[in-house]
Amino acid sequence: QVQLVESGGGSVQAGGSLRLSCAVSGDTYSRRCMGWFRQAPGKEREGVAGIYTADDSTSYADSVKGRFEVSHDNAKNTLYLQMNNLKPEDTAMYYCAGDSLPGRWYRCSAPMEPVNFGYWGQGTQVTVSS
């Protein structure tokens, strides 16, 4: 059974930081494009950051470049999203996602498309107040 479980969301003031984690179980981690997406009320789900676990190559949405950093720990099968200098417009439900097949590094190229990811976590809420 494949599971992606996010944690680390919460409420912060603008300028603050949060670190999201995504624990991945099952054979869904190696040589995969893994990504973070977010969805604000009334808006479409958008790709935030992606990482190809085979070579640690990363990509970011323009709106978060220089503020967010995606990383992973192979030993723990865990994906991270470090979010710094948070802004009210970063408020959203954040989801961890994984490509359903290995080897498709190009799925991590920005902008990442939700339709290309077959595995999803349940989401964790991030709220940034001004």
Side-chain angles (χ1 to χ4, degrees):
Q1 180 93 20
V2 173
Q3 277 193 315
L4 282 69
V5 181
E6 301 99 333
S7 61
S11 297
V12 296
Q13 290 190 327
S17 298
L18 283 173
R19 189 193 195 202
L20 306 183
S21 299
C22 174
V24 182
S25 65
D27 185 22
T28 59
Y29 197 79
S30 62
R31 295 179 57 242
R32 305 255 176 181
C33 174
M34 302 295 296
W36 288 96
F37 291 78
R38 66 186 181 188
Q39 188 167 18
K43 294 188 176 182
E44 293 187 353
R45 191 168 296 189
E46 63 172 349
V48 174
I51 185 166
Y52 185 56
T53 59
D55 62 8
D56 291 352
S57 56
T58 59
S59 67
Y60 297 91
D62 287 343
S63 58
V64 306
K65 280 181 181 177
R67 300 188 298 122
F68 290 13
E69 182 178 6
V70 60
S71 63
H72 72 106
D73 185 328
N74 273 331
K76 296 181 179 180
N77 271 20
T78 301
L79 186 71
Y80 303 100
L81 184 67
Q82 177 67 42
M83 305 185 294
N84 300 322
N85 190 20
L86 283 160
K87 303 176 181 181
E89 51 264 41
D90 294 319
T91 295
M93 185 71 79
Y94 282 71
Y95 298 91
C96 169
D99 191 356
S100 54
L101 290 175
R104 298 191 291 198
W105 54 269
Y106 47 88
R107 294 283 176 95
C108 272
S109 298
M112 295 188 302
E113 297 294 339
V115 68
N116 289 333
F117 290 76
Y119 301 121
W120 291 88
Q122 81 288 351
T124 185
Q125 178 68 37
V126 171
T127 303
V128 185
S129 58
S130 57

